[in-house]
């Protein structure tokens, strides 16, 4: 697919076919954040479109939910084969819609889609949907019709880590991707169609949260809703879902602490911490945005952080720069106001700051920014910025570091670095977060991903993801009770 061609994606995918919206008068320009120009258009759906999609999913559920594991294994294998053919298209779409540098789009963003499909396939092959306990059979059955609402920051990653386990467990579904980054979702849908996903099992309706998202969350025929996005929007999803008592799975915001212990290799840990925040232009919910370091070594830390910040190049996604633009004008303005707030509240500006980087007058580019000597009451230490902005906080004792790390309404991720393995593990055990990364370890596709506190409910990735899409049924008297010997 040529990236220079305008993408007009004006149809929705319902019941195995591309169909016109109920009302085709409402469209939205999708803006390329590197150029600020329109890259294409999508139709904006309504509650009526959601209703059509949900009815299709409901009609497909009785047959799809009773397919064999072997059938679903074959389906996932077909999707993986088709996905492999479309990786260049997927990567190009992601770059265009949300500004990911070409290498990041190819090697990380698009690659995560296939990684989640492969993880679901691996889990499915050995998953126990039945377990006998005495005379009772415990059965795990697909929950039903699932509403999936996904964000723009890792677009296909978030689609895949919901759709893959939903398909694997025998559910049917309606997807609403972010209207800001919808192109990858259309390509994903083309992949599923080409792979032979039965009609009605997967449906796509584009639109915005307050209309399409709310219609999905509140629809009485939707059995569960899985949402990834901001905590504010997640609260709305839960509120809309409450009257129909459907299951709500949420993966929400984060303000993840990165505890660098006194014995850590500072050069390595601080550099990795800065890179971890800057990656994807800081638009990752699990980014290590609060770095906690010993006060006694603050000057050394800030010198290393300055060098790492200055080494983070910004530019056009095709240029080979480390980071591209942030996703939108609204996001750019929000990040700018928070950078200004950091300066106003008295944090030390180590590198970066407000405004666009030099030579980049067009595009939503943000200077890689590091603040030093931040305290945990400052706005930049409390709020999720979702941009390439790091706050460095000092501590005097490890006990104090743990207290500061946990002093947040969020609990998605945490990071710990140090050379004393026992101490690193001990600190990790006391951090209130759903995923703790020790000494910059590599991602694990089977590790559960999700949050404590206001970072959400439930888990994604690997076998833990399956539980979100299953109901547990106990069949008593399934087998004769055995007498005690």
């Amino acid at each position: 697919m040529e990236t220079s061609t305008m993408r007009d994606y004006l149809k929705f995918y319902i019941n195995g076919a591309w169909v016109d919206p109920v009302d085709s008068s409402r469209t939205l320009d999708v803006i390329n954040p590197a150029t600020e120009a329109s890259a294409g258009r999508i139709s904006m759906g309504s509650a009526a479109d959601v209703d059509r999609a949900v009815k299709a999913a409901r009609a497909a559920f009785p047959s799809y939910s009773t397919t064999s594991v072997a059938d679903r294994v074959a389906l996932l294998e077909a999707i993986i084969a088709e996905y492999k053919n479309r990786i260049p298209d997927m990567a190009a779409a992601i770059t265009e819609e949300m500004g990911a540098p070409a290498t990041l789009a190819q090697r990380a963003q698009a690659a995560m889609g296939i990684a989640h499909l492969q993880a679901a396939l691996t889990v499915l092959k050995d998953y126990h949907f039945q377990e006998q306990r005495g005379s009772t059979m415990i059965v795990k059955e697909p929950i039903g019709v699932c509403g999936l609402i996904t964000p723009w920051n890792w677009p296909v990653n978030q689609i895949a880590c919901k759709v893959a386990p939903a398909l694997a467990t025998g559910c049917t579904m309606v997807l609403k991707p972010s209207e800001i980054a919808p192109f990858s979702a259309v390509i994903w849908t083309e992949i599923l169609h080409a792979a032979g996903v039965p009609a009605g099992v997967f449906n796509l309706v584009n639109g915005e949260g307050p209309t399409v998202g709310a219609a999905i969350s509140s629809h009485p025929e939707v059995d569960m809703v899985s949402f990834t996005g901001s905590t504010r929007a997640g609260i709305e999803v839960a509120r809309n879902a409450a009257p129909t008592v459907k299951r709500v799975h949420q993966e929400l915001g984060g303000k993840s602490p990165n505890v660098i212990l006194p014995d850590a290799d500072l050069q390595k840990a601080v550099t990795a911490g800065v890179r971890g925040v800057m990656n994807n232009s800081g638009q990752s919910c699990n980014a290590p945005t609060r770095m906690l370091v010993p006060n006694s070594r603050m000057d050394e830390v800030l010198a290393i952080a300055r060098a790492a910040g200055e080494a983070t190049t910004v530019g056009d996604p095709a240029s080979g720069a480390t980071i591209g633009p942030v996703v939108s004008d609204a996001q750019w303005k929000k990040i700018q106001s928070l950078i200004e707030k950091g300066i106003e509240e008295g944090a030390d500006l180590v590198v970066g700051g407000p405004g666009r980087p030099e030579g980049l007058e067009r595009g939503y580019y943000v200077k890689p920014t590091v603040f030093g000597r931040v305290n945990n009451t400052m706005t930049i230490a409390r709020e999720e910025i979702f941009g390439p902005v790091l706050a460095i906080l000092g501590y005097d004792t490890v006990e104090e570091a743990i207290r500061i790390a946990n002093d947040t309404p969020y609990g998605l991720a945490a990071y710990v670095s140090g050379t004393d393995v026992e101490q690193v593990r001990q600190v990790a055990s006391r951090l209130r977060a759903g995923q703790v990364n020790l000494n910059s370890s590599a991602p694990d596709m089977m590790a559960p991903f999700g949050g404590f506190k206001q970072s959400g409910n439930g888990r994604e990735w690997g076998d833990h993801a399956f539980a979100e899409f299953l109901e547990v049924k106990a069949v008593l008297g399934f087998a004769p009770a055995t007498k005690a010997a």
Side-chain angles (χ1 to χ4, degrees):
M1 192 174 283
E2 291 296 316
T3 57
S4 57
T5 308
M6 284 280 284
R7 300 171 190 263
D8 265 15
Y9 291 152
L10 300 177
K11 292 180 184 286
F12 300 149
Y13 185 76
I14 298 175
N15 206 26
W18 291 99
V19 300
D20 290 323
V22 171
D23 173 7
S24 55
S25 67
R26 289 185 66 235
T27 62
L28 179 77
D29 279 338
V30 178
I31 303 301
N32 180 329
T35 64
E36 300 185 42
S38 175
R41 292 183 305 156
I42 56 166
S43 293
M44 296 298 272
S46 63
D49 296 300
V50 169
D51 192 53
R52 285 167 76 198
V54 171
K55 282 185 165 62
R58 176 58 61 200
F61 182 70
S63 63
Y64 187 68
S65 63
T66 54
T67 52
S68 68
V69 166
D71 286 343
R72 299 199 297 275
V73 163
L75 184 61
L76 285 174
E77 287 173 340
I79 295 168
I80 289 166
E82 193 59 38
Y83 193 109
K84 285 177 179 170
N85 298 332
R86 300 295 302 274
I87 285 176
D89 294 342
M90 184 64 83
I94 292 169
T95 292
E96 225 177 307
E97 67 191 1
M98 58 76 63
T103 49
L104 182 78
Q106 182 92 20
R107 295 180 193 165
Q109 290 268 8
M112 287 300 277
I114 205 156
H116 285 300
L117 287 163
Q118 286 168 332
L121 175 63
T122 301
V123 173
L124 178 59
K125 286 177 176 174
D126 293 316
Y127 197 80
H128 297 292
F129 288 94
Q130 296 191 342
E131 177 200 345
Q132 195 163 332
R133 291 187 189 172
S135 63
T136 298
M137 181 66 80
I138 312 290
V139 185
K140 294 174 183 174
E141 297 183 350
I143 195 167
V145 175
C146 303
L148 312 176
I149 303 172
T150 58
W152 48 260
N153 60 319
W154 285 85
V156 82
N157 170 70
Q158 300 293 357
I159 291 168
C161 72
K162 295 182 193 303
V163 174
L167 287 173
T169 53
C171 294
T172 60
M173 66 213 74
V174 178
L175 169 69
K176 187 206 91 69
S178 168
E179 71 277 17
I180 295 168
F183 298 157
S184 49
V186 172
I187 291 167
W188 170 269
T189 305
E190 290 171 354
I191 289 166
L192 265 57
H193 181 80
V197 172
V201 170
F202 173 87
N203 304 273
L204 169 76
V205 177
N206 278 315
E208 56 201 346
T211 47
V212 173
I216 288 172
S217 306
S218 59
H219 200 292
E221 289 287 307
V222 170
D223 299 295
M224 76 87 76
V225 60
S226 178
F227 171 83
T228 299
S230 70
T231 297
R232 179 194 50 76
I235 291 165
E236 283 307 303
V237 167
R239 191 176 277 136
N240 290 328
T244 49
V245 198
K246 54 172 61 72
R247 184 181 298 171
V248 178
H249 163 255
Q250 302 159 313
E251 195 263 279
L252 308 175
K255 193 71 184 175
S256 302
N258 180 7
V259 181
I260 298 180
L261 294 169
D263 68 346
D265 176 338
L266 280 193
Q267 183 66 42
K268 191 175 164 188
V270 174
T271 302
V274 173
R275 286 178 183 158
V277 171
M278 302 306 165
N279 184 43
N280 203 41
S281 299
Q283 300 171 130
S284 299
C285 46
N286 61 339
T289 49
R290 287 184 302 141
M291 183 184 288
L292 277 65
V293 302
N295 274 319
S296 60
R297 303 186 72 184
M298 182 63 78
D299 290 344
E300 204 181 335
V301 165
L302 297 187
I304 296 165
R306 180 180 293 109
E310 287 170 350
T312 306
T313 53
V314 190
D316 185 280
S319 70
T322 317
I323 63 174
V326 296
V327 77
S328 67
D329 181 53
Q331 201 63 23
W332 189 87
K333 285 173 177 160
K334 179 195 162 193
I335 295 162
Q336 295 303 314
S337 73
L338 284 161
I339 291 172
E340 296 277 12
K341 194 84 173 159
I343 294 167
E344 190 187 304
E345 291 184 356
D348 286 0
L349 182 62
V350 176
V351 70
R356 283 176 168 79
E358 210 176 320
L360 293 169
E361 276 72 53
R362 175 178 287 184
Y364 307 124
Y365 295 99
V366 175
K367 294 175 187 172
T369 299
V370 176
F371 284 103
R373 296 186 175 87
V374 175
N375 72 60
N376 211 40
T377 63
M378 290 179 181
T379 307
I380 55 169
R382 306 304 299 175
E383 289 189 24
E384 184 175 38
I385 299 172
F386 230 61
V389 183
L390 168 64
I392 301 180
L393 300 85
Y395 65 84
D396 291 321
T397 64
V398 172
E399 202 59 37
E400 186 191 8
I402 293 166
R403 182 185 59 72
I404 295 169
N406 288 331
D407 178 14
T408 171
Y410 297 111
L412 186 60
Y415 301 76
V416 188
S417 297
T419 52
D420 179 342
V421 174
E422 207 38 60
Q423 187 184 34
V424 167
R425 288 174 178 167
Q426 210 170 25
V427 170
S429 74
R430 295 179 59 196
L431 297 178
R432 302 279 297 157
Q435 195 172 90
V436 186
N437 182 301
L438 310 185
N439 287 319
S440 304
S441 60
D444 175 0
M445 295 307 299
M446 291 295 176
F449 185 78
F452 284 26
K453 301 188 277 186
Q454 289 183 32
S455 287
N457 299 294
R459 294 294 179 268
E460 297 188 307
W461 299 37
D463 59 319
H464 280 78
F466 278 41
E468 302 299 327
F469 297 95
L470 294 167
E471 285 282 24
V472 177
K473 177 188 284 181
V475 185
L476 282 65
F478 185 88
T482 53
K483 289 179 184 174

